[in-house]
Amino acid sequence: MIKLKQHPKYDTVINWGKLISITGSAQILIQALGFASGILIIRLLSVQEYAFYTLANTMLGTMTVLADGGIITGVMAQGGKVWENKEKMGAVLATGLDLRKKFAVASLLVSVPILFYLLLHNGASWIAAIFIVIALIPAFYAALSDSLLEIIPKLNQTILPLQKNQVGVGIVRLILSALTMFIFPFSFVAILAAGIPRIWGNIGLRKIVYSMAAKDQQPDAKVKKEILSLVKRILPTSIYYCLSGQITIWLISVFGNTTSLAQLGALGRLSVMLTIFNVIIATLIVPRFAKLATQKYLLLTRFFQIMGFLAVLLSLIVLAVYLFPAPILWLLGDAYEGLSFELLLSIISSCIGLFSGIVFNLYSSRGWAMSPIAVILINLIAIIGFASLLDLSNLRGVLYFNIALGLVSVVQTVLFCLYHILLLKNQEYEDVS
């Protein structure tokens, strides 16, 4: 034990163990609350209402991505340079929030008419469609700021207060869902029950953030220029991924039926189990990767370590779902039994998406961005090619399609990140982790 404690890596291992255990245990609780809320909604909503709920949540994700357009990435990249200076960090945050508000207006103008059409196309009444659109506003309003606000505690590695806030939001959401859904089993009620707690959580999140960043700072012109420079490179890709990333939902909603749409949404809900790993990596690893010195060997080593860890972890998750599909599907209720193979395909697709997303976050945190023309061209060719080979009118065909597109994305992101690391000049290795 004495020799072990004297080992030069002992303190590093212990510190990482504490961080992962604290972050992991909190995330297990947070995701358990979210999962419980999701299962409650699946079981209490009719298949048609859950189809509407799936469409609305998908569009909420699209609206949030369009309202961001790369702003989060820009704030992370700029914040990684000045995170120890409260005034400068406050200016970076103020600039990001200001840009987010302007992008939000454009996002609403584009997204709301599309959502309204898809709801009507899938059998929603005009009144139901209007209620669903209005119910999305609280969640969208909260999403405009919370993802930006969370960057500051992540950069400072002040994880515990952030997670206490997230746990509180999860508890309020579960209670609100339980109190309302038994009486009013409608999709717009479920959406409101998820959005209102996020607004409440944002109030507490701002108190945490402004202890580490100066409040009431004005947007900085220089920072704005840097962020917009990154946004110009990322926004076209973000717009494309708004379409391609949710293409399975769009395909089922247009060419399929409400039953298939609800099944796809319910299976996707089970993928929330992967969120815990995504959040841990986004909270503990991506900010550290963003702050690493610009040294080829160091970045290459950390990149391969992260990739190896992900490959093993995601393989174990797929194996567990393959061996035990029945108890997992039992959670969804009788309306979704008999989807064992579809569940496996859905989890494989989610794991591939998680892998690709983490690689994207890693290189984006360094301020690197792919050429949008190249990304869109490659993926359009892939979409056309796979669409001509697969039957997209049924659930299995759409899931195969999603897996194929995910693999294309993984190859792109990994090669791009490696390319940028290898472009760096050789420097002496210094362990700054």
Side-chain angles (χ1 to χ4, degrees):
M1 289 298 295
I2 292 173
K3 288 182 178 179
L4 183 63
K5 288 183 179 180
Q6 291 174 342
H7 193 279
K9 292 292 184 181
Y10 177 80
D11 288 337
T12 302
V13 172
I14 293 298
N15 288 335
W16 270 101
K18 288 179 179 178
L19 282 171
I20 292 173
S21 61
I22 292 171
T23 307
S25 57
Q27 280 305 315
I28 289 172
L29 178 56
I30 292 165
Q31 299 309 321
L33 290 167
F35 187 71
S37 300
I39 295 301
L40 183 69
I41 291 168
I42 290 172
R43 284 181 167 268
L44 292 178
L45 289 181
S46 66
V47 171
Q48 186 180 43
E49 284 290 334
Y50 193 74
F52 300 156
Y53 179 80
T54 299
L55 271 177
N57 267 318
T58 302
M59 187 55 73
L60 175 61
T62 300
M63 291 162 62
T64 305
V65 171
L66 288 175
D68 175 54
I71 295 172
I72 289 178
T73 304
V75 171
M76 175 69 83
Q78 294 300 310
K81 302 173 185 177
V82 299
W83 64 280
E84 293 178 298
N85 187 308
K86 285 188 176 183
E87 283 70 28
K88 290 183 178 179
M89 188 68 250
V92 171
L93 178 60
T95 307
L97 290 171
D98 182 63
L99 288 171
R100 253 284 175 88
K101 291 176 183 177
K102 294 173 181 176
F103 277 54
V105 176
S107 174
L108 282 170
L109 291 174
V110 172
S111 304
V112 169
I114 296 173
L115 173 59
F116 206 80
Y117 166 76
L118 289 174
L119 287 169
L120 295 177
H121 179 75
N122 282 274
S125 66
W126 279 82
I127 294 176
I130 291 170
F131 279 1
I132 290 170
V133 169
I134 293 173
L136 274 181
I137 293 174
F140 180 60
Y141 176 80
L144 290 177
S145 55
D146 59 8
S147 52
L148 280 176
L149 292 170
E150 288 175 0
I151 291 174
I152 285 81
K154 286 178 181 178
L155 285 172
N156 285 271
Q157 291 294 280
T158 309
I159 308 302
L160 194 57
L162 175 62
Q163 293 189 320
K164 284 181 178 178
N165 180 271
Q166 292 171 337
V167 169
V169 171
I171 291 172
V172 174
R173 181 193 174 189
L174 180 58
I175 293 172
L176 201 56
S177 297
L179 290 175
T180 57
M181 293 302 298
F182 282 101
I183 304 172
F184 306 105
F186 302 108
S187 53
F188 76 90
V189 176
I191 295 165
L192 273 176
I196 292 173
R198 289 185 68 179
I199 292 180
W200 171 77
N202 267 6
I203 297 172
L205 185 57
R206 288 178 183 274
K207 294 178 182 178
I208 298 168
V209 166
Y210 289 120
S211 67
M212 292 170 278
K215 193 177 181 181
D216 299 325
Q217 292 290 97
Q218 295 299 314
D220 185 277
K222 185 178 178 181
V223 173
K224 181 179 179 179
K225 183 179 178 181
E226 293 290 333
I227 293 176
L228 286 176
S229 174
L230 192 58
V231 167
K232 287 176 183 177
R233 287 178 282 162
I234 291 178
L235 182 59
T237 310
S238 297
I239 294 172
Y240 168 75
Y241 277 119
C242 281
L243 302 174
S244 67
Q246 304 292 346
I247 198 166
T248 50
I249 298 294
W250 309 137
L251 289 171
I252 285 289
S253 64
V254 174
F255 298 110
N257 51 59
T258 53
T259 300
S260 296
L261 180 57
Q263 289 174 342
L264 185 61
L267 293 175
R269 175 60 59 181
L270 292 173
S271 300
V272 74
M273 67 178 74
L274 300 179
T275 307
I276 180 174
F277 306 111
N278 188 32
V279 173
I280 290 174
I281 292 168
T283 303
L284 298 181
I285 296 178
V286 173
R288 290 170 182 266
F289 192 81
K291 294 188 290 184
L292 286 176
T294 307
Q295 298 173 353
K296 181 190 296 185
Y297 181 75
L298 176 61
L299 289 170
L300 204 59
T301 300
R302 294 292 181 265
F303 180 73
F304 280 123
Q305 286 172 344
I306 296 167
M307 293 303 96
F309 168 73
L310 281 176
V312 173
L313 174 67
L314 298 179
S315 297
L316 291 174
I317 292 171
V318 171
L319 179 62
V321 172
Y322 173 74
L323 294 174
F324 308 106
I328 298 174
L329 286 172
W330 173 82
L331 293 169
L332 300 180
D334 296 339
Y336 303 98
E337 64 181 357
L339 297 175
S340 298
F341 188 65
E342 288 81 0
L343 170 64
L344 180 62
L345 293 179
S346 178
I347 292 297
I348 291 173
S349 174
S350 298
C351 285
I352 292 171
L354 175 63
F355 192 99
S356 177
I358 289 172
V359 178
F360 172 81
N361 288 335
L362 287 174
Y363 69 68
S364 295
S365 72
R366 304 290 303 184
W368 304 333
M370 284 193 212
S371 164
I373 296 175
V375 172
I376 294 172
L377 183 62
I378 292 170
N379 283 275
L380 280 178
I381 293 171
I383 288 173
I384 294 169
F386 292 127
S388 63
L389 296 173
L390 298 168
D391 180 7
L392 302 181
S393 63
N394 62 71
L395 184 59
R396 286 194 181 186
V398 169
L399 290 171
Y400 279 127
F401 180 74
N402 215 27
I403 290 172
L405 293 182
L407 290 173
V408 172
S409 181
V410 166
V411 172
Q412 284 182 90
T413 52
V414 170
L415 290 180
F416 179 78
C417 193
L418 284 174
Y419 171 74
H420 265 275
I421 294 174
L422 294 174
L423 277 181
L424 300 174
K425 294 181 180 179
N426 286 310
Q427 297 180 13
E428 260 185 52
Y429 170 78
E430 293 179 17
D431 191 350
V432 297
S433 61

